[in-house]
Amino acid sequence: AVSEPAATAQNAGFVRDDAVLFVVAITDEDEQPVPYQSAQEIMDKLVAAKGTVNNVVFLGIGGGSSCDGPYGSADDAVRLREVATLFQAENRGLFWDLCQGDLEMAFQAALAVVDSACIEFDPPG
């Protein structure tokens, strides 16, 4: 959605210079991009859309294990957790275990990260 060709075609204008990009990935299985991309490659594409990791927040919600949880069954989301961990290392991400439920708490926890990103955001120009 944020890289070519979609960024300048069907999603033109989605990524704005005057806003932090907040990515929410919710899945009951693991990330399986086609073609294959590592967690670092996924992060790099998202960061490239905004120029710096400081302008991106990533919330990954997926299985912390294979489970039958409050939202049904979920597979262990290894790669999704890796992507979230990369962003978390930059104080711009969070992984929430879908198996534990309580998505309201996931978004509340993410708000602190979003707040920080918005306070530190320095739009170009």
Side-chain angles (χ1 to χ4, degrees):
V2 298
S3 56
E4 297 303 330
T8 54
Q10 64 266 34
N11 290 336
F14 176 75
V15 177
R16 299 186 345 249
D17 289 342
D18 63 343
V20 171
L21 176 63
F22 182 22
V23 178
V24 179
I26 302 176
T27 184
D28 62 354
E29 57 186 31
D30 202 7
E31 291 296 304
Q32 299 174 10
V34 176
Y36 172 85
Q37 296 170 42
S38 69
Q40 186 65 57
E41 289 170 319
I42 294 168
M43 179 185 185
D44 290 347
K45 281 188 174 188
L46 294 170
V47 170
K50 292 302 293 179
T52 174
V53 70
N54 292 332
N55 297 341
V56 181
V57 173
F58 185 90
L59 171 59
I61 301 172
S65 62
S66 293
C67 71
D68 288 315
Y71 302 109
S73 64
D75 295 333
D76 191 8
V78 175
R79 185 167 306 126
L80 178 65
R81 189 169 43 254
E82 289 173 354
V83 174
T85 299
L86 289 171
F87 278 99
Q88 193 167 6
E90 300 290 336
N91 297 315
R92 291 295 185 260
L94 178 71
F95 178 80
W96 192 266
D97 184 359
L98 184 65
C99 299
Q100 300 302 312
D102 204 354
L103 291 182
E104 180 181 348
M105 290 298 296
F107 285 97
Q108 285 182 352
L111 280 179
V113 181
V114 171
D115 256 0
S116 175
C118 288
I119 289 168
E120 297 170 12
F121 183 64
D122 185 20

